[in-house]
Amino acid sequence: MHQYLDVNQGDAGEPIRLHYRSDGDRTLPCLVLSNSLGTDLHMWDAQVARLASAFYIVRYDTRGHGRSTSGSEPCAIEDLGRDVIALLDHLEIAQAAFCGISMGGLTGQWLGYQHPQRFTQLVLANTAARIGSSEAWLARAKQVREAGMGAVAAGAAGRWFSPGFIAREGSMVARMVHTLRCQDANAYATCCEALAQADLCSTAAQIAVPTLVIAGESDPVTTVADGRWLQQQIAAACLATVPASHLSNIEAEQAFTALLREFLLD
């Protein structure tokens, strides 16, 4: 069932309409899932199928993705984090576990040091305290605003998945690329600009929530070294690697989901 929440942006502009879904028994511990740039909440379908018996799972489309709107104003990682807090408040959930991948992992880092009392555990997958460079993100934002999503979508498979997975799971990869190609260019560019500003290196050591960092062994975007740096900065963190590229919850679904289950139920 499609559910929506209007997040008031105050004087900054029109409300953001967040699209979310919930699965499982509401009396179970809550797990929030946050998607990567250019995807939507369906990237978590496999995890929901395997974990809904143990958790009340809330997943949402990050603003500007899927069925969520982006509004007319610029946004930053703190805005993406506040969207999660607004969603938990709306659902009257005092505490939850949080799992975010890539951009969702940056959102999780912000939540971990700004709202530690709201989270029992964090899973930060295929992410870094600083992803890429400001110049590269601003160039991508300019590219999609001027030329649309085609050029970004054309190279997405190679950034997201290993060559072997692309060869084995062509239909899955094609669906993911189609989702990206259909993304609103301005909304995508707005999130690129948020990533251009996002540098959480100075606050990583302030995260006190028990944390699992997951890195893809062949991830060219956020490397194992990036994951190890986070694990070393966060006092209550451990690091695990999976045989995958950037979207490891899809490419290494069984290993990823097993790590998630073991960590959250420990």
Side-chain angles (χ1 to χ4, degrees):
M1 182 175 67
H2 301 294
Q3 299 169 286
Y4 296 90
L5 168 65
D6 288 338
V7 180
N8 191 346
Q9 299 298 293
D11 296 332
E14 66 203 60
I16 302 298
R17 173 155 284 195
L18 284 183
H19 170 236
Y20 69 94
R21 288 189 60 168
S22 56
D23 296 90
D25 185 342
R26 190 180 165 87
T27 65
L28 294 170
C30 179
L31 169 62
V32 177
L33 300 174
S34 183
N35 61 285
S36 64
L37 179 70
T39 66
D40 62 18
L41 56 72
H42 290 292
M43 76 172 300
W44 299 109
D45 283 351
Q47 281 71 46
V48 172
R50 292 178 179 269
L51 298 176
S53 62
F55 299 95
Y56 176 61
I57 301 178
V58 176
R59 50 184 166 150
Y60 68 101
D61 291 330
T62 299
R63 62 167 68 187
H65 290 67
R67 294 171 180 255
S68 293
T69 65
S70 63
S72 58
E73 299 296 319
C75 79
I77 289 297
E78 50 262 41
D79 297 308
L80 304 186
R82 292 185 187 110
D83 290 345
V84 176
I85 298 300
L87 182 55
L88 290 177
D89 289 346
H90 171 69
L91 294 172
E92 299 181 337
I93 296 170
Q95 278 194 314
F98 179 93
C99 175
I101 189 165
S102 193
M103 179 176 65
L106 275 168
T107 300
Q109 292 170 58
W110 185 88
L111 291 167
Y113 84 87
Q114 284 287 354
H115 296 276
Q117 73 283 1
R118 301 298 298 270
F119 298 96
T120 56
Q121 294 138 304
L122 298 176
V123 180
L124 308 176
N126 299 82
T127 194
R130 173 79 171 137
I131 301 177
S133 69
S134 177
E135 295 77 13
W137 287 119
L138 293 176
R140 189 184 296 188
K142 183 174 185 290
Q143 177 189 29
V144 299
R145 282 202 172 99
E146 292 178 350
M149 295 301 299
V152 170
R159 292 191 300 273
W160 284 345
F161 303 112
S162 69
F165 185 82
I166 293 170
R168 292 192 309 272
E169 301 290 345
S171 59
M172 163 72 79
V173 173
R175 287 196 299 273
M176 298 292 297
V177 173
H178 177 73
T179 297
L180 176 60
R181 194 179 298 276
C182 294
Q183 174 97 7
D184 177 83
N186 187 64
Y188 181 90
T190 297
C191 284
C192 288
E193 289 160 351
L195 291 169
Q197 300 173 27
D199 186 344
L200 302 182
C201 293
S202 64
T203 56
Q206 299 177 40
I207 298 173
V209 181
T211 300
L212 170 64
V213 180
I214 299 177
E217 293 168 4
S218 58
D219 187 349
V221 181
T222 52
T223 64
V224 172
D226 290 324
R228 185 174 296 112
W229 187 91
L230 276 174
Q231 180 264 324
Q232 291 170 345
Q233 296 298 307
I234 301 169
C238 55
L239 172 68
T241 62
V242 293
S245 186
H246 192 54
L247 297 189
S248 66
N249 73 303
I250 295 173
E251 181 167 346
E253 181 270 316
Q254 291 189 6
F256 186 102
T257 307
L259 285 169
L260 196 58
R261 176 185 286 274
E262 181 181 7
F263 176 71
L264 296 179
L265 294 178
D266 185 3

